[in-house]
Amino acid sequence: MNINEFSKGRELFFIMEIPSRNPVQKILMGPGPSTVDPRILRAMSEPTIGHLDPDFLKIMNECMEMLRVVFNTRNQLTMPMSGTGSSGMETTFVNILEPGDKVVIGVKGVFGMRMVDMAKRCGAQVIEVKAPWGKPLDPADVRKALSENPGVKFFADVHAETSTGVLQPLKELSDICKEYDVMYLADTVTSLGGVPVDIDDNGVDLAFSGTQKCLSCPPGLAPVTFSERAYKVLQERKTKVQSWYLDLTMIAQYWGQERVYHHTAPINMIYAFHETMRIILEEGLENRYARHKKNHGALVAGLEAMGLKLIVDKEYRLPPLTTVYAPEGVNEAEVRKQLMEQYRMEIGGGLGDFKGKAWRIGLMGYASTQANVILVLTALGNILEGMGQKIDKMGALEAAQGVYRA
Ligand SMILES: *Cc1c(COP(=O)(O)O)cnc(C)c1O
């Protein structure tokens, strides 16, 4: 029997056995992906054209120009990479690091750990600066690591640590990097489009993000930006970039003047990206940050009025992602299951030190609305009450509404 005969009899079987997909709409309020703006899904259904078509090249240029505004940078090398947020992380690491290089990395959650893994795969020597889960790095620890380890190529840290809900202030760490003449690399996956990143003003040399968090796109692209200094380090490498696919020495020629083919751009994802940039600029960056802050404030007021305890200290809380302890004795996974069954709403469970003990509630981009805040508080209140918990359900809604009335 050859492969054709093998396949033939199965065609009908599979067509009958495999139903067409029909996923229902859900409210995505976890750590990502977040609910996608319907405008972006419509943009994705526009006709696919060639990756060197002049019409497409124009769209690419506009994407880069708008992305510079959203990152708030003049960096020439600023564009979306093909792949999810992690490909952006890998892009910054593989393009800068050569075997034997020394780096200092902040580790205060899952994504700092991922950066350590990537740096080691590049053959780098890694010095870790740690903070307990749920806390930011102590700048004094970063200073100590840089002073004890001369010749560090960059210091890398997660701006918005999605595994814990911590927002690490950028400026105080970049000032320390400047003192030691070390480049600063920031993971802005959950901050870009939700809280200010201000790359140039904050002295960040390398940053990456992802489309599926505060940009409200499907997962699939990773915006990156490299300062002049970082670009120079890339151009002066002694060895080839160890990843062919993420090699910016080649990709920059496709996005730049030369337009040399490297890999086929994911055309329809770029349409989505173009639309998300337009949506952000239409709303205005300041308005967008204020909206994320207000909805987060209302959520926090509601959760606290309900009697729940937040994980992160007030000044380091991340507006797009709120982490909160589940009440003692409550099975947090069961609550998430009921949220999905009864409300078609997804929130995240705790990770690492908070596994089984906490929730991660996202209010990112399109999903950061007053309606979603009221809905999640109502739903959590109902479910916890149903489990016999004594919580102040009405007080929670009143507290949240109070923030909007203010
Ligand atoms: C989600 C996330 C990533 C990884 O992005 P993927 O799209 O899952 O590859 C990296 N860093 C942070 C802080 C994130 O939240």
Side-chain angles (χ1 to χ4, degrees), residues 100-174:
D101 281 346
K102 234 191 289 180
V103 292
V104 173
I105 300 180
V107 181
K108 52 184 191 277
V110 166
F111 295 104
M113 288 160 63
R114 186 172 296 181
M115 294 203 289
V116 170
D117 188 2
M118 282 189 189
K120 285 183 177 165
R121 285 165 194 251
C122 294
Q125 184 192 331
V126 180
I127 299 118
E128 295 182 33
V129 176
K130 294 189 180 168
W133 283 62
K135 300 269 182 235
L137 294 185
D138 183 342
D141 294 340
V142 176
R143 177 185 300 281
K144 184 161 179 283
L146 292 181
S147 71
E148 285 172 358
N149 296 281
V152 164
K153 204 157 195 183
F154 63 63
F155 164 67
D157 186 42
V158 180
H159 182 212
E161 183 46 89
T162 325
S163 60
T164 64
V166 166
L167 182 66
Q168 180 84 45
L170 293 167
K171 192 64 168 60
E172 56 191 12
L173 296 186
S174 83

Side-chain angles (χ1 to χ4, degrees), residues 10-214:
R10 279 160 178 77
E11 288 169 352
L12 192 58
F13 171 78
F14 280 121
I15 284 170
M16 289 170 63
E17 283 303 307
I18 301 178
S20 65
R21 330 130 311 279
N22 192 17
V24 298
Q25 179 83 56
K26 292 177 180 171
I27 302 166
L28 302 184
M29 292 174 65
S34 60
T35 305
V36 175
D37 188 323
R39 273 177 65 177
I40 292 170
L41 292 176
R42 286 200 292 277
M44 290 182 80
S45 66
E46 288 164 8
T48 305
I49 59 176
H51 62 100
L52 290 170
D53 186 313
D55 291 344
F56 186 66
L57 300 182
K58 185 165 166 288
I59 292 169
M60 289 167 65
N61 287 345
E62 289 166 358
C63 283
M64 289 189 285
E65 282 167 26
M66 290 190 284
L67 180 58
R68 284 187 196 107
V69 177
V70 174
F71 265 130
N72 199 4
T73 180
R74 290 173 198 278
N75 291 343
Q76 196 56 33
L77 193 59
T78 302
M79 72 226 179
M81 298 293 288
S82 308
T84 66
S86 304
S87 79
M89 186 187 282
E90 197 138 23
T91 297
T92 54
F93 278 76
V94 297
N95 280 281
I96 296 297
L97 294 183
E98 297 189 67
D101 281 346
K102 234 191 289 180
V103 292
V104 173
I105 300 180
V107 181
K108 52 184 191 277
V110 166
F111 295 104
M113 288 160 63
R114 186 172 296 181
M115 294 203 289
V116 170
D117 188 2
M118 282 189 189
K120 285 183 177 165
R121 285 165 194 251
C122 294
Q125 184 192 331
V126 180
I127 299 118
E128 295 182 33
V129 176
K130 294 189 180 168
W133 283 62
K135 300 269 182 235
L137 294 185
D138 183 342
D141 294 340
V142 176
R143 177 185 300 281
K144 184 161 179 283
L146 292 181
S147 71
E148 285 172 358
N149 296 281
V152 164
K153 204 157 195 183
F154 63 63
F155 164 67
D157 186 42
V158 180
H159 182 212
E161 183 46 89
T162 325
S163 60
T164 64
V166 166
L167 182 66
Q168 180 84 45
L170 293 167
K171 192 64 168 60
E172 56 191 12
L173 296 186
S174 83
D175 285 346
I176 296 171
C177 288
K178 221 170 260 142
E179 249 177 74
Y180 291 91
D181 197 28
V182 164
M183 290 194 292
Y184 185 17
L185 189 165
D187 173 334
T188 63
V189 175
T190 296
S191 46
L192 189 70
V195 293
V197 295
D198 298 335
I199 295 300
D200 291 1
D201 289 351
N202 280 318
V204 175
D205 291 283
L206 296 138
F208 60 89
S209 191
T211 44
Q212 47 140 326
K213 315 263 168 125
C214 297

Side-chain angles (χ1 to χ4, degrees), residues 134-136 165-167 169 293 296-298 300-301 304 310-319 321 323 403:
K135 300 269 182 235
V166 166
L167 182 66
K293 207 169 167 184
H296 165 74
V300 167
E304 289 185 332
L310 277 281
I311 289 179
V312 180
D313 293 339
K314 195 166 193 306
E315 63 267 48
Y316 298 109
R317 285 180 197 154
L318 174 60
L321 188 97
T323 46
V403 171

Side-chain angles (χ1 to χ4, degrees), residues 126-395:
V126 180
I127 299 118
E128 295 182 33
V129 176
K130 294 189 180 168
W133 283 62
K135 300 269 182 235
L137 294 185
D138 183 342
D141 294 340
V142 176
R143 177 185 300 281
K144 184 161 179 283
L146 292 181
S147 71
E148 285 172 358
N149 296 281
V152 164
K153 204 157 195 183
F154 63 63
F155 164 67
D157 186 42
V158 180
H159 182 212
E161 183 46 89
T162 325
S163 60
T164 64
V166 166
L167 182 66
Q168 180 84 45
L170 293 167
K171 192 64 168 60
E172 56 191 12
L173 296 186
S174 83
D175 285 346
I176 296 171
C177 288
K178 221 170 260 142
E179 249 177 74
Y180 291 91
D181 197 28
V182 164
M183 290 194 292
Y184 185 17
L185 189 165
D187 173 334
T188 63
V189 175
T190 296
S191 46
L192 189 70
V195 293
V197 295
D198 298 335
I199 295 300
D200 291 1
D201 289 351
N202 280 318
V204 175
D205 291 283
L206 296 138
F208 60 89
S209 191
T211 44
Q212 47 140 326
K213 315 263 168 125
C214 297
L215 303 187
S216 293
C217 263
L221 289 176
V224 298
T225 186
F226 281 52
S227 68
E228 293 300 319
R229 176 176 178 182
Y231 195 16
K232 195 150 173 283
V233 170
L234 166 63
Q235 286 166 322
E236 289 171 357
R237 286 178 69 101
K238 290 187 209 69
T239 57
K240 266 190 168 183
V241 174
Q242 52 270 55
S243 162
W244 182 89
Y245 195 69
L246 301 175
D247 184 344
L248 281 177
T249 62
M250 295 191 285
I251 294 171
Q253 290 184 40
Y254 172 55
W255 283 84
Q257 297 303 314
E258 306 89 336
R259 304 295 185 180
V260 183
Y261 164 71
H262 177 256
H263 67 272
T264 309
I267 309 290
N268 295 55
M269 262 316 288
I270 303 282
Y271 297 163
F273 190 73
H274 190 271
E275 189 65 3
T276 201
M277 292 293 110
R278 279 172 46 93
I279 289 169
I280 292 173
L281 300 186
E282 253 175 53
E283 180 175 11
L285 288 167
E286 294 303 326
N287 292 338
R288 196 174 172 92
Y289 302 146
R291 171 166 62 86
H292 280 82
K293 207 169 167 184
K294 179 146 237 173
N295 289 322
H296 165 74
L299 176 65
V300 167
L303 292 170
E304 289 185 332
M306 205 184 280
L308 302 185
K309 199 172 160 292
L310 277 281
I311 289 179
V312 180
D313 293 339
K314 195 166 193 306
E315 63 267 48
Y316 298 109
R317 285 180 197 154
L318 174 60
L321 188 97
T322 304
T323 46
V324 60
Y325 286 106
E328 234 9 90
V330 163
N331 178 346
E332 72 79 19
E334 175 59 26
V335 173
R336 284 188 288 122
K337 187 160 161 269
Q338 290 192 25
L339 269 177
M340 184 54 89
E341 284 170 2
Q342 297 168 23
Y343 299 87
R344 287 188 179 162
M345 173 184 277
E346 178 177 275
I347 67 169
L351 290 178
D353 287 0
F354 307 120
K355 195 168 161 52
K357 293 182 196 156
W359 294 301
R360 292 183 295 154
I361 305 174
L363 287 169
M364 301 184 185
Y366 184 75
S368 177
T369 63
Q370 180 170 351
N372 278 345
V373 169
I374 299 302
L375 183 59
V376 73
L377 289 170
T378 306
L380 269 180
N382 287 342
I383 292 169
L384 289 172
E385 201 177 60
M387 290 177 156
Q389 289 289 313
K390 288 200 178 41
I391 44 119
D392 187 358
K393 206 169 77 174
M394 294 320 286

